[in-house]
Amino acid sequence: MAAVAEGGRCPLLAAARGAYEAAFGGSAAVAAWAPGRVNLIGEHTDYNDGFVLPMALQLGTVLVGSPTRDGTVSILTTAPGADEPHRVQFPAPTLSHPLSPGQPHWANYVKGVIQHYRGGPVPGFNAVIASDVPLGGGLSSSASLEVATYTFLQQLCPDDGDLVAKALACQQAEHTFASMPCGIMDQFISVMGKESHALLIDCRSLDAVPVPLCDANLAVLITNSNVRHALSGSEYPTRRRQCQEAAAALGRSSLRDVTMAELEGGHGASVGSRHCGVCCRVYMCVCAASRSRLGEEVYRRARHVVGEIERTARAAQALQDGDYVTFGMLMVESHNSLRDDYAVSCPELDQLVAAALEVDGVYGSRMTGGGFGGCTVTLLVAEAAERAQQHIQEKYSGTATFYITKPSDGAKVLPL
């Protein structure tokens, strides 16, 4: 990312510094940056203790600022689409006077990180936020803001440098201050991202394995539908609850511990497999019993998660092997499962995926993020990228925004 590699010459950083000088006078003393992310495969598996395969983006959030002596935190955001007011002020938290969420919504992510910061009492400070991660696009603008805030605070009052604890503190901030029960993926990849690599994250153990994604003949195309349906906020907690219900009904702590054979009643066959008539009848009866116990809707939610965990492990191996055809096939299977079983896609995302798959040189495409709008991610031959963008826009009923991106490093301090 030019924003990181060129330090002070980064346009986003320059804009933030200019806004700081206009708002507060003088120059900012500290600057931090944290990336958004795109999840290549492994959707809605992180809060089920499963596997995910994201990569950190070249898009991110910059936070510049300076400590003050009056114990007051004053923050201005220049992020497009942030709710009003764009400037907030509040006392730095103390043990007797902790912070609490409120309005505007964007400030809750910052407040939550300040409240859960592990490095000691946070002093007062002035700061400006600038971001080029599209808000509500499914590229984790929220985690980018949280991790950038935490990285900034580390310069004011250093913590112990534990990166996993940093990601967990940012996740806790989103749970408690933004009321979003997210998994750990977004914060983890924003902290731990590795240039030229995706990261296979085990969301139970928090082990992470870098998977090379540096083939010059390969491109990752993100397409923003530029729509966000109102269902996204309310349906996420519902899906999480349904997964917990399914795991409990199956006697497991999470769906990570459930195999597809167990979900379908303990029989390894699938409908349509070549078995004797008696065997297939037994299988279908047992499968029907499993559906009856869970209920059709909860069963479908569980089927997506169990299948997606398996797909993600297979996809990481395919990427490691350079088998982009298999990887692309798994991406499409993931999208179809998210659309049909998890019910978090929407017509706009389905249009974008279908259009991408019509382009010669595209390996696979899928929705990415929580769903109900936002972005798709497409893996394709690099030389097909321009052709793909043109075709997708011609076929799409709305106006799409495109990003060709490469895997980035995680959060860092920027020189001023």
Side-chain angles (χ1 to χ4, degrees):
M1 171 183 169
V4 176
E6 297 180 10
R9 289 175 287 168
C10 155
L12 192 64
L13 177 58
R17 295 176 72 178
Y20 183 90
E21 292 172 6
F24 300 108
S27 299
V30 175
W33 175 87
R37 65 96 186 95
V38 64
N39 191 22
L40 299 174
I41 193 168
E43 217 66 73
H44 291 279
T45 55
D46 58 345
Y47 54 83
N48 288 288
D49 291 343
F51 295 105
V52 291
L53 188 66
M55 68 181 218
L57 292 176
Q58 296 168 307
L59 305 171
T61 299
V62 167
L63 197 150
V64 303
S66 302
T68 62
R69 296 180 179 179
D70 62 3
T72 298
V73 176
S74 184
I75 306 171
L76 168 71
T77 183
T78 64
D83 54 324
E84 296 282 357
H86 286 175
R87 184 166 177 172
V88 296
Q89 184 171 300
F90 50 87
T94 63
L95 288 176
S96 57
H97 293 89
L99 297 179
S100 58
Q103 297 297 324
H105 183 67
W106 65 265
N108 289 331
Y109 299 99
V110 178
K111 288 180 178 178
V113 173
I114 294 172
Q115 184 61 47
H116 293 296
Y117 182 65
R118 303 174 64 255
V122 174
F125 63 87
N126 297 329
V128 166
I129 296 163
S131 183
D132 53 10
V133 184
L135 298 184
L139 301 181
S140 202
S141 58
S142 58
S144 175
L145 173 56
E146 291 155 3
V147 175
T149 301
Y150 198 105
T151 307
F152 174 83
L153 295 179
Q154 287 177 301
Q155 312 316 303
L156 303 187
C157 43
D159 67 349
D160 60 7
D162 186 322
L163 296 181
V164 172
K166 176 178 178 177
L168 290 169
C170 292
Q171 180 197 30
Q172 188 179 15
E174 187 149 345
H175 285 187
T176 58
F177 275 69
S179 299
M180 181 59 73
C182 61
I184 191 59
M185 171 180 65
D186 296 351
Q187 293 82 9
F188 198 98
I189 188 64
S190 189
V191 171
M192 304 280 196
K194 183 177 173 66
E195 185 178 3
S196 302
H197 291 76
L199 212 58
L200 178 66
I201 304 170
D202 182 334
C203 295
R204 168 173 285 169
S205 68
L206 298 184
D207 291 333
V209 178
V211 182
L213 185 54
C214 51
D215 188 333
N217 296 316
L218 199 65
V220 176
L221 171 65
I222 298 171
T223 305
N224 192 347
S225 68
N226 289 309
V227 300
R228 182 52 114 192
H229 295 288
L231 282 171
S232 57
S234 61
E235 291 295 316
Y236 185 98
T238 299
R239 295 298 184 281
R240 184 162 186 158
R241 187 186 69 251
Q242 289 171 328
C243 292
Q244 292 168 342
E245 290 174 2
L250 295 166
R252 299 289 191 275
S253 61
S254 77
L255 289 176
R256 164 71 177 272
D257 299 317
V258 178
T259 67
M260 192 62 74
E262 289 170 331
L263 179 63
E264 294 180 341
H267 193 294
S270 60
V271 175
S273 297
R274 293 185 179 178
H275 289 280
C276 68
V278 172
C279 179
C280 285
R281 285 197 297 273
V282 169
Y283 164 72
M284 293 177 72
C285 288
V286 174
C287 187
S290 179
R291 290 192 184 204
S292 176
R293 184 174 61 208
L294 297 179
E296 180 66 23
E297 188 170 81
V298 171
Y299 171 81
R300 286 183 174 274
R301 304 299 185 252
R303 185 167 65 179
H304 163 73
V305 171
V306 173
E308 188 79 346
I309 291 172
E310 294 177 358
R311 275 188 292 272
T312 304
R314 291 174 58 200
Q317 186 61 56
L319 191 60
Q320 181 78 47
D321 296 341
D323 184 356
Y324 306 135
V325 171
T326 296
F327 192 95
M329 176 194 70
L330 292 166
M331 290 178 76
V332 175
E333 288 181 7
S334 171
H335 180 80
N336 293 343
S337 180
L338 287 160
R339 180 193 64 204
D340 300 334
D341 278 351
Y342 221 63
V344 291
S345 188
C346 62
E348 294 88 350
L349 293 175
D350 295 341
Q351 281 182 21
L352 292 174
V353 168
L357 294 176
E358 293 172 351
V359 178
D360 189 31
V362 166
Y363 292 112
S365 186
R366 59 183 288 276
M367 61 156 280
T368 187
F372 304 106
C375 294
T376 63
V377 58
T378 302
L379 190 73
L380 71 169
V381 175
E383 64 180 15
E386 185 175 345
R387 183 169 68 250
Q389 292 175 66
Q390 181 177 352
H391 181 78
I392 291 168
Q393 187 58 78
E394 288 173 355
K395 288 295 188 100
Y396 181 47
S397 59
T399 300
T401 305
F402 299 95
Y403 308 90
I404 300 287
T405 188
K406 296 179 180 179
S408 163
D409 281 328
K412 59 184 66 183
V413 176
L414 298 182
L416 290 175

